[in-house]
Amino acid sequence: MNPRVTGSEAERRAVDVSIITPMYNASCWLDECLQAISQQDFTGTMELSVFDDASTDDSREVVEGWKKRLEARGISVVISGHNSPQPGGVGYAKNKAITQSCGEYLCFQDADDVMLPQRVRLQYEATLLHPNSLIGCKVQRDPEGSTERYTRWINTITQNQLITQAYTSHGPTVVMPTWFCSRNWYLKVGPFNEAGKGVPEDLLFFYQSLRQRGGVARVDQCLLVYRYHEKATTHSVTEETIWKLRVDFLQEQVLSRWASFTIWNAGKQGRKLYRSLSPTNQERVKALCDVDDNKIKKGFYTYEESKVRPAPGIPNTTKDQSPKYQFCTTETPPLPSLSALNWT
């Protein structure tokens, strides 16, 4: 229950699932998005909570036009927004949409995507089994064939890898447009970061959920048409921003617990990972390992740009004697090996 809604209003408005839709200049996609919401086969109670983040098109009018049709299907509709000169950003709009909603569970739905009819039902059932988790699903990319490798990864990563690859993947192992969770879990983890453009609010929330010992799970069915287009907000986030957040989280959650380790990649990516580490963790790196003789022929890598003097350096070798560390194991091996090959 939303703690901001109390008394008789809470009793009147309480629903099972709130569909959370931040909106900014989404007019061209909204009819398909809202039509799909109206066709959900979920038999519980639902509401659609839309927050218009200073759209300059007719997005708000399109949603208003759907209000009676959705309510005729038993889906209550809450619409609000602002008309400031600049949008507040995705994190801000999500938080606002959640605050004005009252569902016990939250289904995140971007205005440019399309949910399949069974999405709410199947993810609701999964969340009942995993109440302190972020629940995702498989996706269909539109246009077909766009971001082929990324889409294949979204749909084929195993349930175990949803956790293990959280430390090496480019973003959340269940992608934000597919998220479903309990309101209680959002309140424990959130809110979303509201810094705005260029900040990956989904990755920050995902990491915070893991810090709170939250789970990650996926319904292994395609439940969402996930659109790819040039206006998507994800394009505003730079690779370097993502890289820094990933390295910082890896150091905090994993490397700080290791006495020493090797990096399996003596090439460009391995050296970049080494340079990105804190001085303390750089001291824990015993070698850069590789099977490519050309990458290790100098025998030693010196980080000349380091502020530490003398400049730190580590050997390059083809002989990594350490066991490969699996993030799901309970015991840390004497000298774990961290692969940088997945950090591309």
Side-chain angles (χ1 to χ4, degrees), residues 24 53-54 82-89:
Y24 175 70
D53 192 19
H82 68 103
N83 297 310
S84 301
Q86 295 295 327

Side-chain angles (χ1 to χ4, degrees), residues 275-294:
R275 293 194 302 270
S276 301
L277 298 177
S278 68
T280 299
N281 282 325
Q282 285 178 355
E283 292 179 2
R284 293 171 174 162
V285 178
K286 299 307 177 184
L288 299 180
C289 305
D290 213 297
V291 295
D292 187 344
D293 289 336
N294 291 326

Side-chain angles (χ1 to χ4, degrees), residues 206-226:
F206 182 70
Y207 284 163
Q208 185 60 17
S209 182
L210 294 178
R211 290 186 183 100
Q212 298 287 345
R213 300 184 180 275
V216 186
R218 185 187 65 213
V219 175
D220 282 331
Q221 293 186 40
C222 177
L223 302 178
L224 185 78
V225 178
Y226 181 18

Side-chain angles (χ1 to χ4, degrees), residues 179-218:
W179 283 6
F180 196 110
C181 68
S182 70
R183 179 180 297 275
N184 285 339
W185 189 247
Y186 162 82
L187 292 173
K188 182 177 178 65
V189 176
F192 287 100
N193 183 285
E194 297 187 358
K197 188 176 181 179
V199 176
E201 85 294 332
D202 56 342
L203 183 59
L204 291 171
F205 190 96
F206 182 70
Y207 284 163
Q208 185 60 17
S209 182
L210 294 178
R211 290 186 183 100
Q212 298 287 345
R213 300 184 180 275
V216 186
R218 185 187 65 213

Side-chain angles (χ1 to χ4, degrees), residues 61-337:
E61 289 76 11
V62 173
V63 178
E64 291 283 0
W66 272 90
K67 192 172 188 293
K68 288 185 178 179
R69 279 178 280 180
L70 290 167
E71 290 176 343
R73 296 295 304 270
I75 303 171
S76 57
V77 179
V78 184
I79 309 169
S80 71
H82 68 103
N83 297 310
S84 301
Q86 295 295 327
V90 179
Y92 169 78
K94 286 175 184 170
N95 289 334
K96 288 293 187 181
I98 293 169
T99 297
Q100 71 186 14
S101 71
C102 61
E104 187 177 359
Y105 295 89
L106 308 175
C107 175
F108 292 90
Q109 174 66 36
D110 287 350
D112 55 352
D113 295 333
V114 180
M115 60 170 66
L116 274 64
Q118 65 273 39
R119 181 188 175 190
V120 171
R121 173 174 57 85
L122 292 180
Q123 289 194 294
Y124 175 82
E125 291 171 356
T127 308
L128 293 179
L129 298 175
H130 306 281
N132 297 331
S133 298
L134 295 176
I135 308 296
C137 65
K138 293 184 177 181
V139 302
Q140 172 190 330
R141 202 62 153 144
D142 180 41
E144 185 177 358
S146 57
T147 64
E148 184 177 355
R149 284 183 59 193
Y150 179 53
T151 305
R152 184 168 61 250
W153 176 77
I154 292 172
N155 290 335
T156 61
I157 184 173
T158 67
Q159 292 289 341
N160 184 56
Q161 289 172 330
L162 291 175
I163 293 295
T164 60
Q165 290 195 14
Y167 300 94
T168 58
S169 64
H170 191 72
T173 49
V174 288
V175 294
M176 173 65 210
T178 72
W179 283 6
F180 196 110
C181 68
S182 70
R183 179 180 297 275
N184 285 339
W185 189 247
Y186 162 82
L187 292 173
K188 182 177 178 65
V189 176
F192 287 100
N193 183 285
E194 297 187 358
K197 188 176 181 179
V199 176
E201 85 294 332
D202 56 342
L203 183 59
L204 291 171
F205 190 96
F206 182 70
Y207 284 163
Q208 185 60 17
S209 182
L210 294 178
R211 290 186 183 100
Q212 298 287 345
R213 300 184 180 275
V216 186
R218 185 187 65 213
V219 175
D220 282 331
Q221 293 186 40
C222 177
L223 302 178
L224 185 78
V225 178
Y226 181 18
R227 281 203 173 96
Y228 177 81
H229 56 88
E230 293 181 355
K231 295 181 180 180
T233 55
T234 186
H235 298 309
S236 69
V237 183
T238 68
E239 290 187 8
E240 284 306 308
T241 296
I242 297 292
W243 175 273
K244 185 179 187 310
L245 290 172
R246 292 167 64 197
V247 173
D248 288 349
F249 185 71
L250 180 69
Q251 292 188 100
E252 169 199 322
Q253 295 291 309
V254 180
L255 302 187
S256 62
R257 305 175 187 180
W258 289 356
S260 58
F261 56 93
T262 63
I263 295 176
W264 185 259
N265 186 321
K268 181 179 179 180
Q269 288 297 112
R271 295 194 298 270
K272 179 180 179 180
L273 177 56
Y274 172 79
R275 293 194 302 270
S276 301
L277 298 177
S278 68
T280 299
N281 282 325
Q282 285 178 355
E283 292 179 2
R284 293 171 174 162
V285 178
K286 299 307 177 184
L288 299 180
C289 305
D290 213 297
V291 295
D292 187 344
D293 289 336
N294 291 326
K295 292 181 180 178
I296 63 169
K297 59 186 178 182
K298 291 184 179 180
F300 213 82
Y301 170 65
T302 302
Y303 180 20
E304 298 289 358
E305 294 81 13
S306 172
K307 296 180 181 180
V308 177
R309 286 294 179 267
I314 53 174
N316 295 339
T317 179
T318 58
K319 298 179 180 180
D320 179 14
Q321 302 299 327
S322 64
K324 292 289 183 268
Y325 182 74
Q326 301 296 323
F327 289 107
C328 58
T329 58
T330 57
E331 294 185 357
T332 304
L335 185 59
S337 178

